[in-house]
Amino acid sequence: MSLDLIKIASQASSMVARLKAGRAERQQRLHYARQVFGDGAIDLEKLKRKIAASRTTWLVAELADGLAAKYSPPPAPPEFTVLATDGSHIDVDRHRTTRCYLINIGAVALKYGGEPDAVLDSVPHLYAEDEDLVIKPSAATGREQMVEGTLLGLKRAVEECCHLSRMSAEQPPGSTTLALLDGTLILWGLEAYPDFVTGALLDSGFLPCLEEMRKQNRDKKLALASYISFPRSTDVVNVLRVAICPHEVADCDHFCPPGKDRECEGVAGVTDRELFMDALEPGERSALFISPSKITKERYGEHRIYFFYLRLEEEVARVEIPRWVAENRALMDTVHALVLDQCRRGQGYPVALSEAHEQAVVTAADRAEFWQLVESLCVEEKIPTLTSAKNFSKRTRWV
């Protein structure tokens, strides 16, 4: 039976009414945030020290080159290439006897200039070996982790980055290239797993790929970035919360226990996107900020993640870059100019990422055909293809 929308309509109506009722207060908080953000009297060095010393219950961005600074878009080079990868996967199905998963990487190379070219491809890979299905601790102690669900999503992100690194290595000396990923460069989900999982996916997978791309700048210009459309992060707004805090050190648990009014609540609920939609003109980017993520502080090293906000016609996007890009003005200009160019060509979203997604997508029909192929091959080899009663019930109509 499908969802009965008539039964949910009244609940949806109540939700919309609550949103409308809180709109005036939300606008008031946004107005206050804009005032604090534009306050030229803020001592930025003092604010940096206060951020470093603060103990808050929310993530606060570190300042790299100011707070309210903004930059006009530099011109795009006459010849350049944009590379992009995106991925999709078929997860392990615990209701089948065949344990395996598939990762499909969509890859796009768009060359602009005197000899334009486009290469669109997809690279599927089936993982079924024992070492692919679990991540084991090196020591005798510790519980092995099954590669499925969230962990498979993290492995896919690593594979997307590594494939992008291999593509960028094929670019000729002297070329200018933007290597682009969809979503964040921060593997947030690893914080929920044991350290040996982080070692396998980050230290032995993701970071070596970033390092390979960094080294490629010896004989060509290669800038790596990731693009987050319609971000919901509040890292910069939380900087304003620290600035508003009347205490020398913002220590939420000590000075503002639960139930006590906080002055910083005056900007709570405002997103960075809303703040920069008003602060920037179309095409401009914000100042650089440093991600406060614990995993990037402790594990990323030279590749610690910086970010900025880019104002487009209809939205504000968050663009993340590793430190070696952030500290190189030529690479920063490449990212700013070419991400903006891609968005203008792609009706507000980078066209290379859009095409990479199209190459990567795995539909429900694809999944069904994949499992049918696996089962038919097992039958040919006279291997039993058992399934759970639950799975059989879902595939059978009773009424």
Side-chain angles (χ1 to χ4, degrees):
M1 181 178 178
S2 59
L3 176 65
D4 190 337
L5 291 176
I6 294 176
K7 294 180 179 178
I8 204 71
S10 62
Q11 299 175 51
S13 179
S14 298
M15 177 187 69
V16 172
R18 289 195 301 272
L19 291 174
K20 183 178 180 180
R23 185 172 177 82
E25 182 183 358
R26 187 175 182 83
Q27 287 298 316
Q28 184 177 6
R29 292 186 176 191
L30 178 57
H31 178 69
Y32 182 36
R34 288 168 176 165
Q35 284 184 318
V36 178
F37 183 73
D39 186 357
I42 293 178
D43 186 331
L44 294 180
E45 291 304 316
K46 183 178 179 180
L47 180 57
K48 286 182 181 180
R49 292 192 295 271
K50 188 174 182 180
I51 291 171
S54 294
R55 293 181 289 275
T56 64
T57 55
W58 14 268
L59 294 174
V60 184
E62 297 178 28
L63 307 182
D65 64 344
L67 179 61
K70 54 185 179 180
Y71 301 88
S72 299
E79 304 271 347
F80 63 90
T81 299
V82 179
L83 309 175
T85 58
D86 197 12
S88 186
H89 65 260
I90 297 176
D91 208 337
V92 174
D93 189 338
R94 69 182 185 88
H95 296 288
R96 301 178 188 270
T97 54
T98 308
R99 289 191 58 80
C100 62
Y101 59 87
L102 181 142
I103 295 178
N104 190 41
I105 302 295
V108 170
L110 303 178
K111 183 179 179 182
Y112 299 91
E115 299 180 2
D117 193 16
V119 178
L120 288 74
D121 193 17
S122 64
V123 184
H125 190 90
L126 179 64
Y127 297 85
E129 301 296 331
D130 290 343
E131 60 267 25
D132 297 324
L133 297 173
V134 297
I135 299 178
K136 299 180 179 180
S138 56
T141 58
R143 181 181 177 184
E144 63 183 26
Q145 300 291 314
M146 308 297 294
V147 181
E148 57 187 25
T150 300
L151 194 54
L152 177 53
L154 290 166
K155 181 176 175 62
R156 191 187 83 190
V158 173
E159 293 301 318
E160 291 170 9
C161 182
C162 290
H163 192 83
L164 189 64
S165 175
R166 291 190 289 270
M167 291 173 64
S168 62
E170 298 173 356
Q171 298 305 302
S175 58
T176 297
T177 304
L178 171 66
L180 202 55
L181 289 166
D182 183 40
T184 181
L185 290 174
I186 305 170
L187 300 186
W188 292 98
L190 286 176
E191 295 176 350
Y193 291 93
D195 191 66
F196 70 86
V197 175
T198 302
L201 292 182
L202 185 65
D203 301 336
S204 300
F206 193 74
L207 294 182
C209 292
L210 297 188
E211 180 62 16
E212 284 300 315
M213 285 188 268
R214 185 186 72 84
K215 290 179 179 178
Q216 291 172 32
N217 280 282
R218 293 168 180 166
D219 62 352
K220 56 192 172 189
K221 185 186 294 183
L222 174 69
L224 169 67
S226 72
Y227 185 91
I228 304 173
S229 178
F230 206 73
R232 299 183 61 83
S233 49
T234 59
D235 301 22
V236 178
V237 171
N238 290 340
V239 171
L240 306 184
R241 297 185 72 166
V242 172
I244 293 168
C245 178
H247 305 287
E248 190 69 23
V249 175
D251 188 336
C252 300
D253 292 337
H254 180 70
F255 294 113
C256 304
K260 183 177 180 180
D261 291 337
R262 302 178 178 181
E263 291 191 30
C264 67
E265 289 295 319
V267 298
V270 178
T271 65
D272 294 350
R273 182 189 71 250
E274 294 171 311
L275 182 66
F276 286 106
M277 192 71 182
D278 179 69
L280 301 173
E281 295 296 326
E284 290 183 335
R285 73 164 177 88
S286 71
L288 273 174
F289 303 96
I290 307 173
S291 170
S293 164
K294 180 181 178 182
I295 194 170
T296 64
K297 285 183 179 180
E298 296 180 350
R299 307 296 286 257
Y300 274 57
E302 180 68 20
H303 309 289
R304 187 174 179 192
I305 304 306
Y306 288 53
F307 64 93
F308 63 84
Y309 288 95
L310 179 64
R311 172 74 151 87
L312 306 169
E313 292 294 336
E314 301 296 332
E315 75 158 344
V316 171
R318 172 167 164 149
V319 179
E320 294 183 350
I321 50 179
R323 184 166 67 186
W324 50 270
V325 174
E327 294 179 348
N328 185 312
R329 182 58 184 269
L331 294 183
M332 275 298 301
D333 285 347
T334 298
V335 171
H336 186 178
L338 298 191
V339 169
L340 180 61
D341 179 78
Q342 281 288 291
C343 290
R344 287 172 173 170
R345 294 175 188 269
Q347 299 180 335
Y349 183 76
V351 65
L353 285 178
S354 180
E355 294 298 335
H357 170 77
E358 290 299 318
Q359 297 299 310
V361 68
V362 175
T363 66
D366 293 332
R367 287 178 169 82
E369 290 180 2
F370 166 75
W371 286 116
Q372 185 177 14
L373 171 63
V374 171
E375 290 178 356
S376 64
L377 291 173
C378 288
V379 169
E380 288 180 11
E381 297 298 328
K382 296 182 173 56
I383 300 174
T385 57
L386 303 176
T387 186
S388 69
K390 179 178 180 179
N391 189 47
F392 179 77
S393 176
K394 286 182 177 180
R395 295 157 60 183
T396 306
R397 292 187 65 86
W398 294 95
V399 179

